[in-house]
Amino acid sequence: MEKAVEESMEKEESKTAEAYDAEPDEGYTEDLEGETATDDETEEPEFVETTDSEEPEDMAESPEEFDESEDNDESHEDQAHGAEKVDDKEVSIASKFKMGLAKTRNSFTSKINDLVARYRTVDEDFFEELEEVLISADVGVNAVMEMIDELQMEVKRRNIKDTRQVKEVISEKLVELYYGAEDEGEVEELKMNPDGLTIYLFVGVNGVGKTTTIGKLAHQLKADGKKVTLAAGDTFRAGAIDQLDVWGQRAGVNVIKHSEGSDPAAVIYDGIQSAKSKKADVLICDTAGRLQNKVNLMNELAKVKRVIEREVPGAPHEVLLVLDATTGQNAMSQAKTFAESTDVSGIVLTKLDGTAKGGIVLAIRNELDIPVKLVGLGEKVSDLETFDAHAFVYGLFADMIEEEDDEV
Protein backbone atom coordinates (compact mmCIF):
# COMPACT_ATOMS: atom_id res chain seq x y z
CA MET A 1 0.00 0.00 0.00
CA GLU A 2 1.44 3.30 -1.12
CA LYS A 3 -0.45 5.53 1.22
CA ALA A 4 1.48 6.29 4.39
CA VAL A 5 -0.21 5.71 7.71
CA GLU A 6 -0.66 8.60 10.09
CA GLU A 7 2.05 10.82 8.57
CA SER A 8 1.51 13.32 11.33
CA MET A 9 2.09 10.69 14.05
CA GLU A 10 5.34 11.19 15.97
CA LYS A 11 7.88 8.52 15.18
CA GLU A 12 9.03 8.27 18.76
CA GLU A 13 8.06 5.05 20.52
CA SER A 14 5.63 5.40 23.41
CA LYS A 15 7.29 5.88 26.76
CA THR A 16 5.52 2.72 27.83
CA ALA A 17 7.31 0.80 25.09
CA GLU A 18 10.51 1.02 27.16
CA ALA A 19 8.85 -0.36 30.24
CA TYR A 20 6.09 -2.77 29.18
CA ASP A 21 8.40 -5.79 29.39
CA ALA A 22 9.55 -5.05 32.93
CA GLU A 23 8.28 -7.03 35.87
CA PRO A 24 5.52 -5.35 37.93
CA ASP A 25 7.90 -4.66 40.82
CA GLU A 26 10.57 -3.01 38.68
CA GLY A 27 9.53 0.63 38.72
CA TYR A 28 5.84 0.25 37.98
CA THR A 29 3.12 1.63 40.24
CA GLU A 30 -0.60 1.99 39.84
CA ASP A 31 -1.77 5.59 40.17
CA LEU A 32 -5.08 6.57 41.75
CA GLU A 33 -6.88 6.55 38.39
CA GLY A 34 -5.79 3.00 37.60
CA GLU A 35 -3.34 3.93 34.85
CA THR A 36 0.12 2.35 34.79
CA ALA A 37 3.03 4.75 35.25
CA THR A 38 6.75 4.67 35.98
CA ASP A 39 8.37 6.30 38.98
CA ASP A 40 10.01 8.88 36.71
CA GLU A 41 7.38 9.40 34.10
CA THR A 42 3.59 9.83 34.39
CA GLU A 43 2.76 11.07 30.90
CA GLU A 44 -0.02 9.40 28.98
CA PRO A 45 1.13 6.74 26.46
CA GLU A 46 1.49 8.07 22.94
CA PHE A 47 -1.04 5.77 21.33
CA VAL A 48 -3.76 6.71 18.92
CA GLU A 49 -7.28 5.71 19.79
CA THR A 50 -9.87 6.08 17.11
CA THR A 51 -13.30 4.99 15.99
CA ASP A 52 -13.74 7.49 13.18
CA SER A 53 -10.68 7.19 10.99
CA GLU A 54 -10.84 8.03 7.30
CA GLU A 55 -11.09 5.01 5.02
CA PRO A 56 -7.92 4.52 2.95
CA GLU A 57 -8.45 4.65 -0.80
CA ASP A 58 -6.34 1.61 -1.69
CA MET A 59 -6.95 -0.66 1.26
CA ALA A 60 -6.25 -4.33 0.47
CA GLU A 61 -9.04 -6.74 1.26
CA SER A 62 -11.49 -3.94 1.95
CA PRO A 63 -14.07 -5.01 4.51
CA GLU A 64 -17.43 -5.94 3.09
CA GLU A 65 -20.38 -3.66 3.70
CA PHE A 66 -22.19 -4.84 6.75
CA ASP A 67 -25.39 -6.67 6.07
CA GLU A 68 -27.29 -6.11 9.28
CA SER A 69 -30.68 -7.01 7.90
CA GLU A 70 -30.65 -10.24 9.91
CA ASP A 71 -29.20 -8.78 13.11
CA ASN A 72 -32.46 -7.36 14.36
CA ASP A 73 -34.84 -10.05 13.17
CA GLU A 74 -35.15 -11.73 16.54
CA SER A 75 -35.22 -8.51 18.60
CA HIS A 76 -38.76 -7.78 17.46
CA GLU A 77 -40.13 -11.24 18.21
CA ASP A 78 -42.51 -11.75 21.11
CA GLN A 79 -41.12 -13.77 24.03
CA ALA A 80 -43.93 -16.25 23.61
CA HIS A 81 -42.24 -17.44 20.44
CA GLY A 82 -38.94 -18.21 22.16
CA ALA A 83 -38.93 -21.88 21.22
CA GLU A 84 -39.66 -21.03 17.60
CA LYS A 85 -36.74 -18.57 17.58
CA VAL A 86 -34.33 -21.25 18.76
CA ASP A 87 -35.54 -23.61 16.06
CA ASP A 88 -35.21 -20.86 13.44
CA LYS A 89 -31.64 -20.21 14.56
CA GLU A 90 -30.74 -23.88 14.28
CA VAL A 91 -32.25 -24.03 10.80
CA SER A 92 -30.37 -20.88 9.85
CA ILE A 93 -27.01 -22.30 10.99
CA ALA A 94 -27.63 -25.56 9.13
CA SER A 95 -28.57 -23.59 6.02
CA LYS A 96 -25.42 -21.48 6.28
CA PHE A 97 -23.24 -24.58 6.47
CA LYS A 98 -25.14 -26.07 3.54
CA MET A 99 -24.57 -22.99 1.40
CA GLY A 100 -21.03 -22.41 2.62
CA LEU A 101 -19.92 -25.96 1.87
CA ALA A 102 -21.44 -26.06 -1.60
CA LYS A 103 -18.09 -26.49 -3.37
CA THR A 104 -16.91 -29.26 -1.06
CA ARG A 105 -20.31 -30.95 -1.13
CA ASN A 106 -20.62 -30.85 -4.91
CA SER A 107 -17.26 -32.54 -5.26
CA PHE A 108 -17.64 -34.88 -2.31
CA THR A 109 -21.26 -35.87 -2.89
CA SER A 110 -20.82 -36.49 -6.60
CA LYS A 111 -17.90 -38.82 -5.92
CA ILE A 112 -19.79 -40.69 -3.18
CA ASN A 113 -22.87 -41.04 -5.39
CA ASP A 114 -20.74 -42.26 -8.26
CA LEU A 115 -19.08 -44.77 -5.96
CA VAL A 116 -22.40 -46.07 -4.65
CA ALA A 117 -23.78 -46.33 -8.16
CA ARG A 118 -20.83 -48.41 -9.38
CA TYR A 119 -20.77 -50.83 -6.45
CA ARG A 120 -23.79 -52.92 -5.55
CA THR A 121 -22.13 -54.56 -2.57
CA VAL A 122 -19.78 -53.31 0.13
CA ASP A 123 -16.43 -54.98 -0.51
CA GLU A 124 -12.71 -54.24 -0.22
CA ASP A 125 -12.59 -52.39 -3.53
CA PHE A 126 -15.44 -50.15 -2.39
CA PHE A 127 -13.54 -49.14 0.74
CA GLU A 128 -10.35 -48.50 -1.21
CA GLU A 129 -12.10 -46.05 -3.51
CA LEU A 130 -13.92 -44.46 -0.58
CA GLU A 131 -10.53 -43.92 1.02
CA GLU A 132 -9.37 -42.03 -2.08
CA VAL A 133 -12.50 -39.86 -2.05
CA LEU A 134 -11.95 -38.85 1.59
CA ILE A 135 -8.27 -38.10 1.05
CA SER A 136 -9.10 -35.95 -1.98
CA ALA A 137 -11.37 -33.88 0.30
CA ASP A 138 -8.30 -33.22 2.53
CA VAL A 139 -9.67 -35.15 5.48
CA GLY A 140 -6.06 -36.27 6.02
CA VAL A 141 -4.36 -39.62 5.45
CA ASN A 142 -4.12 -40.60 9.12
CA ALA A 143 -7.70 -39.58 9.81
CA VAL A 144 -8.96 -41.42 6.73
CA MET A 145 -7.13 -44.66 7.61
CA GLU A 146 -8.61 -44.56 11.10
CA MET A 147 -12.06 -43.82 9.76
CA ILE A 148 -11.99 -46.58 7.13
CA ASP A 149 -11.02 -49.17 9.77
CA GLU A 150 -13.90 -48.11 12.02
CA LEU A 151 -16.27 -47.97 9.07
CA GLN A 152 -15.43 -51.52 8.04
CA MET A 153 -16.06 -52.79 11.57
CA GLU A 154 -19.36 -50.93 11.80
CA VAL A 155 -20.52 -52.29 8.44
CA LYS A 156 -19.77 -55.81 9.60
CA ARG A 157 -21.47 -55.24 12.94
CA ARG A 158 -24.66 -54.00 11.27
CA ASN A 159 -24.36 -56.59 8.51
CA ILE A 160 -24.71 -53.93 5.83
CA LYS A 161 -24.57 -55.29 2.29
CA ASP A 162 -26.11 -52.47 0.23
CA THR A 163 -23.73 -49.60 -0.55
CA ARG A 164 -26.58 -47.09 -0.25
CA GLN A 165 -26.85 -47.86 3.46
CA VAL A 166 -23.18 -46.95 3.96
CA LYS A 167 -23.90 -43.22 3.44
CA GLU A 168 -25.48 -42.90 6.88
CA VAL A 169 -22.58 -44.70 8.55
CA ILE A 170 -20.07 -42.43 6.77
CA SER A 171 -21.76 -39.31 8.13
CA GLU A 172 -21.81 -40.80 11.65
CA LYS A 173 -18.11 -41.62 11.49
CA LEU A 174 -17.21 -38.13 10.24
CA VAL A 175 -18.87 -36.60 13.30
CA GLU A 176 -17.12 -39.12 15.56
CA LEU A 177 -13.84 -38.27 13.88
CA TYR A 178 -14.26 -34.70 15.12
CA TYR A 179 -15.82 -35.15 18.54
CA GLY A 180 -14.41 -38.56 19.43
CA ALA A 181 -16.18 -41.85 20.06
CA GLU A 182 -18.30 -40.36 22.86
CA ASP A 183 -19.74 -37.77 20.45
CA GLU A 184 -20.73 -35.36 23.19
CA GLY A 185 -21.62 -32.99 20.40
CA GLU A 186 -20.81 -29.86 22.37
CA VAL A 187 -20.16 -26.78 20.27
CA GLU A 188 -16.90 -25.25 21.52
CA GLU A 189 -17.55 -21.52 21.66
CA LEU A 190 -14.99 -18.82 22.40
CA LYS A 191 -14.05 -18.59 26.07
CA MET A 192 -15.08 -15.50 28.00
CA ASN A 193 -13.48 -14.19 31.19
CA PRO A 194 -16.26 -14.03 33.82
CA ASP A 195 -14.19 -11.77 36.07
CA GLY A 196 -13.18 -8.92 33.79
CA LEU A 197 -11.48 -8.20 30.50
CA THR A 198 -11.42 -11.01 27.92
CA ILE A 199 -8.43 -10.99 25.55
CA TYR A 200 -8.27 -12.80 22.21
CA LEU A 201 -4.90 -13.00 20.44
CA PHE A 202 -5.05 -13.65 16.69
CA VAL A 203 -2.05 -15.20 14.91
CA GLY A 204 -1.41 -16.47 11.40
CA VAL A 205 0.49 -15.79 8.19
CA ASN A 206 -0.32 -12.98 5.77
CA GLY A 207 -3.24 -13.35 3.39
CA VAL A 208 -5.37 -15.79 5.39
CA GLY A 209 -8.06 -13.23 6.28
CA LYS A 210 -6.95 -12.56 9.85
CA THR A 211 -7.75 -8.84 10.03
CA THR A 212 -11.08 -9.28 8.26
CA THR A 213 -12.03 -12.02 10.70
CA ILE A 214 -11.17 -9.75 13.63
CA GLY A 215 -13.41 -7.04 12.20
CA LYS A 216 -16.31 -9.44 11.72
CA LEU A 217 -15.92 -10.85 15.24
CA ALA A 218 -15.79 -7.33 16.72
CA HIS A 219 -18.99 -6.44 14.91
CA GLN A 220 -20.76 -9.57 16.13
CA LEU A 221 -19.57 -9.12 19.72
CA LYS A 222 -20.81 -5.54 19.76
CA ALA A 223 -24.15 -6.67 18.34
CA ASP A 224 -24.31 -9.04 21.33
CA GLY A 225 -23.92 -6.09 23.69
CA LYS A 226 -20.18 -6.36 24.38
CA LYS A 227 -17.88 -3.36 24.63
CA VAL A 228 -14.94 -4.12 22.33
CA THR A 229 -11.46 -2.66 21.78
CA LEU A 230 -9.09 -3.61 18.95
CA ALA A 231 -5.29 -3.45 19.14
CA ALA A 232 -3.50 -3.07 15.78
CA GLY A 233 -0.48 -5.19 16.62
CA ASP A 234 0.37 -5.89 12.97
CA THR A 235 2.75 -2.93 12.69
CA PHE A 236 4.77 -4.50 9.88
CA ARG A 237 2.34 -3.35 7.18
CA ALA A 238 0.70 0.06 7.01
CA GLY A 239 -2.18 -1.56 5.15
CA ALA A 240 -2.94 -3.84 8.08
CA ILE A 241 -3.23 -0.86 10.45
CA ASP A 242 -5.49 0.97 8.00
CA GLN A 243 -7.65 -2.08 7.43
CA LEU A 244 -8.23 -2.72 11.12
CA ASP A 245 -8.92 0.99 11.60
CA VAL A 246 -11.66 0.87 8.98
CA TRP A 247 -13.18 -2.23 10.55
CA GLY A 248 -13.17 -0.44 13.91
CA GLN A 249 -14.94 2.54 12.39
CA ARG A 250 -17.60 0.41 10.75
CA ALA A 251 -18.14 -1.75 13.80
CA GLY A 252 -18.14 1.30 16.07
CA VAL A 253 -15.40 0.04 18.39
CA ASN A 254 -12.18 1.60 19.72
CA VAL A 255 -8.93 0.93 17.87
CA ILE A 256 -5.51 1.36 19.50
CA LYS A 257 -2.68 1.82 17.02
CA HIS A 258 0.89 3.06 16.71
CA SER A 259 2.83 4.05 13.61
CA GLU A 260 4.11 1.53 11.10
CA GLY A 261 7.24 -0.23 12.38
CA SER A 262 6.40 0.23 16.06
CA ASP A 263 6.95 -2.53 18.60
CA PRO A 264 3.84 -4.79 18.49
CA ALA A 265 4.11 -5.55 22.20
CA ALA A 266 3.91 -1.82 22.98
CA VAL A 267 0.71 -1.56 20.95
CA ILE A 268 -0.82 -4.51 22.78
CA TYR A 269 0.24 -3.01 26.12
CA ASP A 270 -1.48 0.28 25.29
CA GLY A 271 -4.52 -1.64 24.06
CA ILE A 272 -4.81 -3.40 27.43
CA GLN A 273 -4.52 -0.12 29.35
CA SER A 274 -7.16 1.54 27.18
CA ALA A 275 -9.52 -1.45 27.44
CA LYS A 276 -9.14 -1.46 31.21
CA SER A 277 -9.72 2.28 31.56
CA LYS A 278 -12.83 2.14 29.39
CA LYS A 279 -14.07 -1.01 31.11
CA ALA A 280 -14.22 -2.92 27.84
CA ASP A 281 -15.49 -6.50 27.85
CA VAL A 282 -13.23 -7.80 25.06
CA LEU A 283 -9.84 -6.81 23.65
CA ILE A 284 -8.97 -8.38 20.28
CA CYS A 285 -5.29 -8.24 19.38
CA ASP A 286 -4.04 -8.43 15.80
CA THR A 287 -0.47 -9.55 15.10
CA ALA A 288 1.81 -9.47 12.07
CA GLY A 289 1.43 -12.15 9.42
CA ARG A 290 4.56 -13.93 10.49
CA LEU A 291 6.12 -16.67 8.41
CA GLN A 292 6.15 -19.90 10.34
CA ASN A 293 9.83 -20.55 9.57
CA LYS A 294 11.01 -17.22 11.03
CA VAL A 295 12.23 -17.91 14.55
CA ASN A 296 12.65 -14.24 15.44
CA LEU A 297 9.03 -13.52 14.56
CA MET A 298 7.86 -16.41 16.72
CA ASN A 299 9.94 -14.97 19.55
CA GLU A 300 8.22 -11.64 19.01
CA LEU A 301 4.86 -13.35 19.34
CA ALA A 302 6.04 -14.94 22.59
CA LYS A 303 6.98 -11.45 23.82
CA VAL A 304 3.47 -10.20 23.08
CA LYS A 305 2.04 -13.10 25.05
CA ARG A 306 4.25 -12.28 28.03
CA VAL A 307 2.96 -8.71 28.10
CA ILE A 308 -0.65 -9.92 28.00
CA GLU A 309 -0.11 -12.53 30.71
CA ARG A 310 1.55 -10.01 33.01
CA GLU A 311 -1.09 -7.30 32.61
CA VAL A 312 -4.12 -9.62 32.76
CA PRO A 313 -3.46 -12.85 34.69
CA GLY A 314 -4.92 -15.84 32.89
CA ALA A 315 -4.95 -14.08 29.52
CA PRO A 316 -4.99 -14.45 26.59
CA HIS A 317 -8.20 -16.39 26.98
CA GLU A 318 -7.96 -17.61 23.39
CA VAL A 319 -4.99 -17.80 21.03
CA LEU A 320 -6.72 -18.17 17.69
CA LEU A 321 -4.77 -19.37 14.68
CA VAL A 322 -6.33 -18.19 11.43
CA LEU A 323 -5.93 -20.55 8.48
CA ASP A 324 -7.05 -20.31 4.86
CA ALA A 325 -9.12 -23.42 4.12
CA THR A 326 -8.33 -23.15 0.41
CA THR A 327 -4.65 -23.96 1.07
CA GLY A 328 -5.49 -27.49 2.24
CA GLN A 329 -2.54 -29.39 3.65
CA ASN A 330 -0.42 -26.24 3.73
CA ALA A 331 -2.83 -25.00 6.38
CA MET A 332 -2.11 -28.20 8.31
CA SER A 333 1.60 -27.48 8.10
CA GLN A 334 1.07 -23.97 9.45
CA ALA A 335 -1.11 -25.30 12.26
CA LYS A 336 1.58 -27.77 13.34
CA THR A 337 4.29 -25.11 13.42
CA PHE A 338 2.25 -22.55 15.31
CA ALA A 339 1.06 -25.19 17.76
CA GLU A 340 4.70 -26.01 18.52
CA SER A 341 5.61 -22.35 18.99
CA THR A 342 2.68 -21.02 20.98
CA ASP A 343 -0.31 -22.29 22.90
CA VAL A 344 -2.93 -22.25 20.16
CA SER A 345 -6.32 -22.84 21.77
CA GLY A 346 -8.50 -22.72 18.69
CA ILE A 347 -8.52 -22.58 14.90
CA VAL A 348 -10.36 -20.09 12.70
CA LEU A 349 -10.84 -21.45 9.17
CA THR A 350 -11.55 -18.74 6.63
CA LYS A 351 -12.78 -19.11 3.04
CA LEU A 352 -14.35 -22.49 3.74
CA ASP A 353 -16.96 -21.57 1.16
CA GLY A 354 -14.25 -21.21 -1.47
CA THR A 355 -12.72 -24.68 -1.35
CA ALA A 356 -13.66 -28.18 -2.47
CA LYS A 357 -11.44 -29.60 0.27
CA GLY A 358 -13.37 -28.69 3.42
CA GLY A 359 -12.30 -31.96 5.04
CA ILE A 360 -9.25 -30.09 6.36
CA VAL A 361 -11.47 -29.24 9.36
CA LEU A 362 -11.49 -32.89 10.41
CA ALA A 363 -7.80 -33.41 9.64
CA ILE A 364 -6.70 -30.57 11.91
CA ARG A 365 -8.84 -31.74 14.81
CA ASN A 366 -7.84 -35.37 14.42
CA GLU A 367 -4.08 -34.83 14.12
CA LEU A 368 -3.54 -31.81 16.38
CA ASP A 369 -6.46 -32.11 18.79
CA ILE A 370 -7.10 -28.38 18.45
CA PRO A 371 -10.78 -27.42 18.13
CA VAL A 372 -12.03 -25.35 15.23
CA LYS A 373 -13.76 -22.43 16.93
CA LEU A 374 -14.89 -20.27 13.99
CA VAL A 375 -15.37 -20.76 10.26
CA GLY A 376 -15.88 -18.29 7.44
CA LEU A 377 -18.78 -19.36 5.24
CA GLY A 378 -19.15 -16.29 3.05
CA GLU A 379 -18.34 -12.62 2.51
CA LYS A 380 -20.92 -10.97 4.77
CA VAL A 381 -20.17 -10.04 8.36
CA SER A 382 -22.84 -12.50 9.47
CA ASP A 383 -21.07 -15.38 7.69
CA LEU A 384 -18.53 -15.89 10.48
CA GLU A 385 -19.98 -18.85 12.39
CA THR A 386 -19.14 -20.85 15.49
CA PHE A 387 -18.10 -24.28 14.24
CA ASP A 388 -20.58 -27.09 14.74
CA ALA A 389 -19.46 -30.54 13.55
CA HIS A 390 -23.04 -31.78 13.14
CA ALA A 391 -23.92 -28.79 10.96
CA PHE A 392 -20.65 -29.28 9.08
CA VAL A 393 -21.42 -32.92 8.25
CA TYR A 394 -24.97 -31.94 7.32
CA GLY A 395 -23.45 -29.40 4.93
CA LEU A 396 -21.43 -32.23 3.33
CA PHE A 397 -24.38 -34.61 3.00
CA ALA A 398 -27.31 -32.18 2.63
CA ASP A 399 -28.14 -33.27 -0.91
CA MET A 400 -28.08 -36.98 0.01
CA ILE A 401 -30.20 -36.38 3.10
CA GLU A 402 -32.79 -34.40 1.15
CA GLU A 403 -32.90 -37.03 -1.57
CA GLU A 404 -33.60 -39.74 1.01
CA ASP A 405 -36.30 -37.58 2.64
CA ASP A 406 -37.97 -37.10 -0.75
CA GLU A 407 -37.93 -40.84 -1.37
CA VAL A 408 -39.64 -41.44 1.98
Side-chain angles (χ1 to χ4, degrees):
M1 175 172 296
E2 298 179 358
K3 185 175 178 181
V5 180
E6 303 292 342
E7 291 181 348
S8 61
M9 182 181 294
E10 294 183 8
K11 294 296 183 181
E12 255 182 58
E13 284 297 320
S14 169
K15 294 279 194 249
T16 58
E18 301 175 359
Y20 63 77
D21 209 20
E23 292 299 323
D25 59 350
E26 294 179 2
Y28 272 79
T29 58
E30 293 293 326
D31 65 17
L32 295 177
E33 296 180 357
E35 295 292 333
T36 304
T38 65
D39 291 337
D40 300 325
E41 191 63 60
T42 58
E43 294 180 6
E44 289 294 321
E46 295 176 2
F47 63 78
V48 178
E49 182 171 346
T50 177
T51 58
D52 57 356
S53 60
E54 183 178 345
E55 182 174 350
E57 297 176 0
D58 300 318
M59 187 187 70
E61 297 181 47
S62 178
E64 302 82 14
E65 292 296 334
F66 290 160
D67 183 357
E68 296 180 307
S69 59
E70 300 177 3
D71 291 347
N72 298 319
D73 287 348
E74 294 185 359
S75 62
H76 301 295
E77 295 288 338
D78 190 89
Q79 291 183 353
H81 298 94
E84 292 180 15
K85 287 161 62 179
V86 172
D87 291 341
D88 290 344
K89 184 177 181 181
E90 290 175 352
V91 170
S92 175
I93 291 174
S95 297
K96 282 186 176 182
F97 273 87
K98 177 185 175 182
M99 291 185 291
L101 290 168
K103 285 190 176 181
T104 297
R105 183 174 64 257
N106 290 341
S107 172
F108 186 75
T109 301
S110 62
K111 290 178 181 178
I112 292 291
N113 283 337
D114 178 64
L115 186 60
V116 169
R118 287 189 292 107
Y119 286 87
R120 293 184 178 275
T121 59
V122 183
D123 57 20
E124 192 67 28
D125 291 337
F126 173 83
F127 283 115
E128 285 185 7
E129 289 205 37
L130 176 60
E131 182 178 308
E132 293 177 6
V133 170
L134 293 170
I135 291 176
S136 69
D138 259 356
V139 175
V141 176
N142 294 336
V144 170
M145 297 297 289
E146 176 184 331
M147 179 179 168
I148 291 296
D149 288 343
E150 293 183 2
L151 192 60
Q152 287 176 317
M153 289 191 295
E154 189 66 17
V155 166
K156 288 180 181 178
R157 188 182 70 82
R158 299 189 190 182
N159 195 29
I160 295 175
K161 302 297 184 183
D162 191 337
T163 54
R164 289 175 297 181
Q165 295 176 286
V166 178
K167 291 180 183 180
E168 180 181 349
V169 185
I170 293 173
S171 63
E172 291 174 6
K173 291 303 174 183
L174 285 172
V175 174
E176 285 184 14
L177 189 62
Y178 186 86
Y179 285 119
E182 297 82 8
D183 186 17
E184 297 176 359
E186 294 182 2
V187 175
E188 298 179 76
E189 298 183 349
L190 295 180
K191 298 174 184 175
M192 293 291 293
N193 180 12
D195 301 318
L197 179 64
T198 297
I199 299 181
Y200 298 144
L201 180 63
F202 276 73
V203 301
V205 302
N206 285 333
V208 295
K210 178 161 45 68
T211 307
T212 299
T213 298
I214 290 173
K216 290 181 178 182
L217 178 60
H219 184 270
Q220 292 184 7
L221 287 170
K222 186 178 180 185
D224 289 338
K226 304 294 183 184
K227 191 171 183 179
V228 181
T229 295
L230 306 181
D234 185 356
T235 59
F236 184 74
R237 294 185 305 119
I241 300 173
D242 280 337
Q243 187 182 358
L244 194 69
D245 207 11
V246 172
W247 271 110
Q249 175 190 353
R250 294 184 176 183
V253 301
N254 294 329
V255 178
I256 306 303
K257 62 181 182 180
H258 287 192
S259 60
E260 179 185 356
S262 299
D263 191 326
V267 181
I268 303 305
Y269 173 86
D270 285 342
I272 293 172
Q273 303 314 311
S274 176
K276 284 181 176 179
S277 66
K278 293 183 177 298
K279 300 188 185 312
D281 299 300
V282 180
L283 171 66
I284 306 177
C285 304
D286 193 8
T287 60
R290 51 207 73 242
L291 299 174
Q292 63 266 31
N293 60 345
K294 299 292 185 180
V295 176
N296 60 323
L297 293 177
M298 286 299 181
N299 290 339
E300 183 181 288
L301 181 59
K303 184 181 180 183
V304 168
K305 277 198 66 182
R306 288 199 304 271
V307 171
I308 295 174
E309 290 167 351
R310 191 193 63 224
E311 297 302 318
V312 180
H317 302 94
E318 294 277 10
V319 177
L320 298 169
L321 172 60
V322 184
L323 300 172
D324 182 345
T326 64
T327 62
Q329 287 301 310
N330 187 42
M332 172 66 78
S333 175
Q334 291 175 25
K336 288 180 179 178
T337 304
F338 274 95
E340 293 169 357
S341 304
T342 188
D343 298 325
V344 176
S345 62
I347 301 293
V348 180
L349 266 180
T350 63
K351 311 174 190 178
L352 194 58
D353 58 309
T355 180
K357 297 188 174 184
I360 191 66
V361 172
L362 302 172
I364 289 173
R365 180 56 188 264
N366 181 262
E367 294 192 27
L368 301 180
D369 196 28
I370 300 175
V372 177
K373 293 293 183 82
L374 299 169
V375 291
L377 297 173
E379 298 298 324
K380 295 189 296 183
V381 68
S382 58
D383 289 332
L384 182 66
E385 285 291 335
T386 299
F387 182 73
D388 182 331
H390 288 284
F392 173 79
V393 173
Y394 169 78
L396 290 180
F397 287 93
D399 295 338
M400 293 184 186
I401 294 171
E402 291 170 3
E403 285 176 9
E404 292 174 1
D405 289 343
D406 290 340
E407 291 176 2
V408 174

